[in-house]
Amino acid sequence: MNAPAFAPAADRRNALDRAHIGDIEGALGTVRAFDTGPRVTSRRKLATLLAVLGPGVVVMVADHDAGTISVFAQAGQNHGMRLLWVLLVLCPALYVTQEMVARLGAVTGSGHARLTLERFGKLWCAFSLGDLMILNLATLVTEFIGVALALSYFGVPRYVSAPAAAILLVAMTATGSFRRWERAMCVMIAANLTLIPLAVTSHPRAASVAAGFVPAVGNGAAGSTVLLLVALVGTTIAPWQLFFQQSNVVDKRITPRWLRYERADTAIGAVMFAACAGAVLILSATVAAAAGPHRPFTDAGAVAHAIGAHLGVGAGGVFAIALLNASLLGAGAVSLSGSYAIAEVFGVKHSLHRRVGDARAFHASFAAIVALAAGVVLVPGLPLGALTTLVQALAGILLPSTLVLLLILCNDEQLLGPLTNGRALNAVGAVVVGSVLALSTLLTLTTVLPRMPFAIALAVTLALLLAAGVVLGASNVRHRRPPRAGASLTPWQRQTWTAPMLELVAPATPTRPRLLALALLRAYVALIAGLLLLKLAGVLPG
Amino acid sequence: MIRSVPPLPAATAERIADTMFALSTPSRLQILVCLRPEARTVSEIVAAVGMEQSAVSHQLRVLRDHSVVSMRRVGRTRRYALSNDHVGALIDDALEHIRALERSRARERSEAQAG
């Protein structure tokens, strides 16, 4: 027989919402659902890339939000260019983690929250979803603070700017057209990128910029620098991004056929992020150096005024507009990640393709969390700076669990088949997760037990991490994987491999590495939560 | 002469497709068939279908979100039922369609063996 061999194709694809099946309707192009033929000419390849371009770029540039600008500006002001090298590490780390969720989304057709529920059960799902919502609300508040700071540069009071921003965000999301939403995002991304020419026009010293890319630690005590490093990592790699990109890839109807293009999208986004964040750091460092004697960092609004004072009012205005855009873009993506997650878990319609009346719970949860965050910002006497720090710290603590679960999911052969993580990718992923874990643990130890000498905290963290790494590594090396599911597939079948319907997938095999990783994660969460609770209860000395 | 059929309005086609999506997984069909004769509670459905309670609840939410199944509170119990007779007819017709296909295939096979 010579009938065409159909892979478990797009038509039999698992979907939680019918709107997730169909043509890719991107801001910059369309790919019809049936148009899966080879892309031979470079023109066709480019057209496909432009159509697929979106989730990766949006998530990365949205990641460069109010909190990120504030932390990178702080790094520039307090340490000059000395911490620029961090970006060289963060950019690939971002790509590795985001590529994993993009792959999970394309292959399983399911968002991250739903997948957590299906593969790890109710408890982990409730934990992740609860974390996500608390963190999202806190992050959203920082975004609205960013909006308020940016518009106060132009003399707009926050009682006007915060509600206006909330209304704009809801209007942008509730259009009932994925393409319109993505176009709005593209405009904001473009506005965000104006930071790069702005940084160039500030005439930074080329030699000091180049020196910044050599790994070194900044001024001052090691402890405070580590806290700043944790904040840098914590704002850059955040749980909402993982949830957002996976759901958005699904909603954009990207199938494994387009995974290669989605990877390019993610890589382009990661570079854009590094460029924007680097621009902020350089700008802030240059302006701080020009201002003479060192002043402590206050907020991003003060940076706009400092830029206005040294490069002209126009430049300050450009920075303020970029800050406004970054905050709005971040707010849109962060709240969307929450709405996607809630609707996925509860099994109600969730798609940007749907109008308000057609997916009420999805759009209502978006509007509710945006309104709540905008309301919090209007509370008088809110300690804004402290809140930003709290968000970063909280994210740094809660992030590791999300990352560990992600790594386990990406080793689930029943879901990913031939697209499961290989050993090399697992090794890179383990390094990324391990570093985030180390920084988070260090942060918790130094905040909860401030009298502990820094060197001891560092030693304890490294010892714990090393022990966990050795145990896990040993079990992984001893664990023989069954021959990979894709061994007998043709290249085309491997490229278009799609996970079966979630309800038909057998429960995850309880392999030893999986059980061990979950047990260690449980111990970690219990330890950190216990320490924080003791601290809050006032048992531990502060 | 070719009889002209007026095209379905796009919005209607979307709504029908959404309804059909609700009928598009084996577990949801099991639940619908179980609800075909009468309204039932979740625990009755769980017992009849042999799926986990959480899975049944999830699929019931999907079915309700697509207005295929409705829920009514009677005292403290919640009873689920097909939204109307048309849903029942859809399931019946789908079943009949499959049976008709199988019958004609069986006939073809026996004819091929005989001939």
Side-chain angles (χ1 to χ4, degrees), chain A residues 338-365:
Chain A
S339 306
Y340 274 135
I342 290 179
E344 270 161 24
V345 168
F346 287 101
V348 294
K349 294 176 198 161
H350 55 288
S351 171
L352 291 168
H353 292 283
R354 292 191 186 275
R355 293 167 193 291
V356 175
D358 204 12
R360 285 216 180 85
F362 174 66
H363 287 297
S365 64

Side-chain angles (χ1 to χ4, degrees), chain A residues 77 288-296:
Chain A
Q77 188 165 337
H294 183 73
R295 275 174 305 169

Side-chain angles (χ1 to χ4, degrees), chain A residues 359-436:
Chain A
R360 285 216 180 85
F362 174 66
H363 287 297
S365 64
F366 183 91
I369 194 163
V370 165
L372 191 61
V376 169
V377 177
L378 296 185
V379 174
L382 199 70
L384 302 183
L387 195 76
T388 314
T389 321
L390 177 77
V391 174
Q392 315 305 358
L394 209 59
I397 292 164
L398 298 176
L399 177 64
S401 54
T402 317
L403 283 176
V404 172
L405 292 185
L406 171 64
L407 215 49
I408 300 178
L409 275 178
C410 281
N411 280 286
D412 200 330
E413 296 221 5
Q414 279 131 320
L415 286 183
L416 289 177
L419 292 163
T420 310
N421 271 9
R423 278 198 197 276
L425 193 51
N426 270 340
V428 176
V431 169
V432 172
V433 177
S435 321
V436 172

Side-chain angles (χ1 to χ4, degrees), chain A residues 119-428:
Chain A
R119 303 311 274 176
F120 299 110
K122 266 188 197 160
L123 205 60
W124 280 118
C125 176
F127 170 72
S128 309
L129 198 62
D131 281 0
L132 183 73
M133 295 320 289
I134 295 173
L135 257 180
N136 275 5
L137 182 62
T139 315
L140 264 179
V141 171
T142 67
E143 311 292 7
F144 276 103
I145 293 168
V147 169
L149 288 175
L151 282 176
S152 74
Y153 185 83
F154 303 107
V156 181
R158 80 168 52 160
Y159 295 96
V160 178
S161 58
I167 291 169
L168 179 71
L169 282 170
V170 173
M172 236 165 41
T173 314
T175 60
S177 156
F178 191 94
R179 171 165 293 151
R180 238 171 290 158
W181 171 81
E182 207 170 78
R183 287 210 171 125
M185 292 287 130
C186 279
V187 171
M188 293 194 167
I189 289 169
N192 220 334
L193 293 177
T194 53
L195 281 170
I196 300 165
L198 188 63
V200 174
T201 53
S202 75
H203 300 294
R205 281 185 49 224
S208 58
V209 171
F213 284 109
V214 179
V217 178
N219 307 331
S224 72
T225 311
V226 168
L227 289 193
L228 187 57
L229 273 180
V230 175
L232 287 175
V233 175
T235 60
T236 304
I237 303 178
W240 70 262
Q241 293 161 234
L242 304 169
F243 287 83
F244 175 84
Q245 194 178 0
Q246 186 165 343
S247 297
N248 200 232
V249 161
V250 171
D251 201 4
K252 191 162 181 183
R253 304 162 170 175
I254 293 171
T255 60
R257 168 69 184 88
W258 311 115
L259 199 51
R260 198 181 285 182
Y261 294 93
E262 178 51 28
R263 284 184 178 134
D265 171 37
T266 311
I268 294 170
V271 172
M272 279 185 181
F273 169 84
C276 286
V280 169
L281 197 149
I282 290 172
L283 260 174
S284 158
T286 316
V287 171
H294 183 73
R295 275 174 305 169
F297 177 82
T298 49
D299 59 39
V303 177
H305 284 288
I307 291 173
H310 288 278
L311 302 173
V313 182
V318 171
F319 184 82
I321 289 175
L323 177 63
L324 172 68
N325 260 286
S327 310
L328 284 174
L329 187 60
V334 169
S335 31
L336 204 50
S337 75
S339 306
Y340 274 135
I342 290 179
E344 270 161 24
V345 168
F346 287 101
V348 294
K349 294 176 198 161
H350 55 288
S351 171
L352 291 168
H353 292 283
R354 292 191 186 275
R355 293 167 193 291
V356 175
D358 204 12
R360 285 216 180 85
F362 174 66
H363 287 297
S365 64
F366 183 91
I369 194 163
V370 165
L372 191 61
V376 169
V377 177
L378 296 185
V379 174
L382 199 70
L384 302 183
L387 195 76
T388 314
T389 321
L390 177 77
V391 174
Q392 315 305 358
L394 209 59
I397 292 164
L398 298 176
L399 177 64
S401 54
T402 317
L403 283 176
V404 172
L405 292 185
L406 171 64
L407 215 49
I408 300 178
L409 275 178
C410 281
N411 280 286
D412 200 330
E413 296 221 5
Q414 279 131 320
L415 286 183
L416 289 177
L419 292 163
T420 310
N421 271 9
R423 278 198 197 276
L425 193 51
N426 270 340
V428 176

Side-chain angles (χ1 to χ4, degrees), chain A residues 74-125:
Chain A
Q74 187 180 359
Q77 188 165 337
N78 293 353
H79 300 278
M81 313 268 183
R82 249 160 276 163
L83 292 177
L84 259 182
W85 62 270
V86 174
L87 282 171
L88 291 185
V89 183
L90 282 180
C91 182
L94 256 182
Y95 173 77
V96 169
T97 52
Q98 295 298 131
E99 187 272 338
M100 285 198 250
V101 282
R103 179 152 39 98
L104 276 174
V107 175
T108 64
S110 158
H112 204 70
R114 180 83 212 153
L115 221 48
T116 308
L117 178 64
E118 296 282 342
R119 303 311 274 176
F120 299 110
K122 266 188 197 160
L123 205 60
W124 280 118
C125 176

